[in-house]
Amino acid sequence: MRTLRIAAAVEAISLAALLINLATIHTKAITALGGPVHGMAYLATIACTWMIADATPAARWYAAIPGIGGLLVLRRIQPQGA
């Protein structure tokens, strides 16, 4: 669960950084670093979601949404009191 939290956060932050870079100055260094980081975090989010026994099929599909999918999965599988 901790790994999923980290991967989801890195995925969301890296996508935001890539989109901000695209909308502003479009520095190639940010794109070259941020692209692979976002891609690996995206794949890690999907893999971690599939490894969670409590994840429903809907939560597993949420993981496939780029950027916010991991955050949606975390919200879906966390107990209400946590």
Side-chain angles (χ1 to χ4, degrees):
M1 186 80 128
R2 181 178 179 204
T3 307
L4 178 59
R5 283 189 187 118
I6 293 169
V10 169
E11 180 191 3
I13 291 168
S14 63
L15 181 62
L18 286 169
L19 292 175
I20 290 169
N21 182 47
L22 182 65
T24 58
I25 57 177
H26 197 61
T27 303
K28 291 191 186 288
I30 294 174
T31 304
L33 178 65
V37 168
H38 172 69
M40 288 305 298
Y42 178 64
L43 293 175
T45 299
I46 293 171
C48 288
T49 302
W50 279 88
M51 292 174 63
I52 295 174
D54 296 341
T56 63
R60 290 184 174 143
W61 280 107
Y62 284 152
I65 301 170
I68 62 166
L71 300 174
L72 292 173
V73 169
L74 285 170
R75 186 172 184 181
R76 180 105 174 162
I77 64 174
Q78 282 183 345
Q80 293 295 331

